[in-house]
Amino acid sequence: MIATAFGCMALLCVISWPFFSDYNKVVQIQSAGAAAFAMYFLMLGSPTAAIACLISCAQLVVSASVRDRYVVVRLYGASLIILSFLSVVTWHGIPSALALTGSSLGSLARLQTSTTRMKGLFLLGAPFWLAHNLIVGALFALGTDAVSLASNLANLMRFVVRRRRTVSFSQRSSASANAPGIFAQAGPVSTLGI
């Protein structure tokens, strides 16, 4: 019953944060969701996933409070080392490997300055979390996986379509600029000697 409450709270945070525009509010909601998922996974018997969620929570706080990119990258690197060490300490087979891989890709995604690369890395990490959540029976986390996969995939597809239109338009523009017009010369002009 308590695990269900934490799962509901975490899923609510994941669904609700995109509706806020204030960055600090978004980070607070995402951090609350990560902390709720940590408790949820701990109660489901997946300590590696719980630690991964706590580290994600810490990374969100670092991203919101530290402005120096050099420091942020170093802190993320340290958090990945800590995650790797704690994954060994809490090792419980394939679920630990899946949580470690999914969380590591998520950490790399949060470090990106390009939202396209970020979404791509989140998509790469999603199957690992999806498999983990299926194995441990984390139904609320599966809901989050569905929301994350659908939104990141839709946004990436929108980017690809927009990119193709831009490239297509640019190719048409350059082709029409190089096309012969009514004033174009058909060939070399020869003059008659008069």
Side-chain angles (χ1 to χ4, degrees):
M1 183 65 136
I2 296 174
T4 301
F6 280 115
C8 284
M9 184 179 145
L11 185 56
L12 181 64
C13 289
V14 168
I15 292 170
S16 65
W17 75 259
F19 295 103
F20 292 86
S21 57
D22 180 57
Y23 180 74
N24 288 327
K25 181 63 79 178
V26 167
V27 169
Q28 289 171 358
I29 294 169
Q30 288 179 339
S31 296
F37 267 125
M39 292 303 297
Y40 178 63
F41 284 129
L42 194 59
M43 292 181 176
L44 291 178
S46 185
T48 305
I51 288 168
C53 290
L54 289 177
I55 288 176
S56 293
C57 187
Q59 289 173 341
L60 286 165
V61 171
V62 164
S63 294
S65 58
V66 178
R67 297 288 171 229
D68 186 347
R69 178 120 174 103
Y70 178 83
V71 172
V72 169
V73 170
R74 297 303 179 269
L75 288 171
Y76 268 59
S79 71
L80 285 173
I81 292 168
I82 292 168
L83 175 62
S84 299
F85 172 75
L86 291 175
S87 293
V88 171
V89 171
T90 61
W91 191 261
H92 59 284
I94 292 175
S96 288
L98 293 169
L100 172 63
T101 306
S103 186
S104 297
L105 288 167
S107 294
L108 292 174
R110 281 187 286 281
L111 274 176
Q112 299 306 306
T113 55
S114 159
T115 56
T116 304
R117 282 193 308 264
M118 178 184 69
K119 291 171 186 173
L121 282 167
F122 275 131
L123 277 174
L124 283 176
F128 295 98
W129 276 114
L130 184 66
H132 170 272
N133 297 334
L134 282 169
I135 290 170
V136 301
L139 298 178
F140 291 100
L142 287 171
T144 299
D145 293 337
V147 169
S148 177
L149 278 169
S151 65
N152 282 323
L153 196 54
N155 284 324
L156 280 174
M157 292 307 292
R158 192 175 319 137
F159 171 77
V160 168
V161 167
R162 189 172 49 237
R163 180 74 155 223
R164 282 188 182 162
R165 285 182 185 155
T166 303
V167 169
S168 175
F169 177 75
S170 136
Q171 288 173 344
R172 280 185 289 184
S173 295
S174 65
S176 65
N178 294 329
I182 57 172
F183 298 109
Q185 209 174 332
V189 175
S190 60
T191 56
L192 298 173
I194 301 181

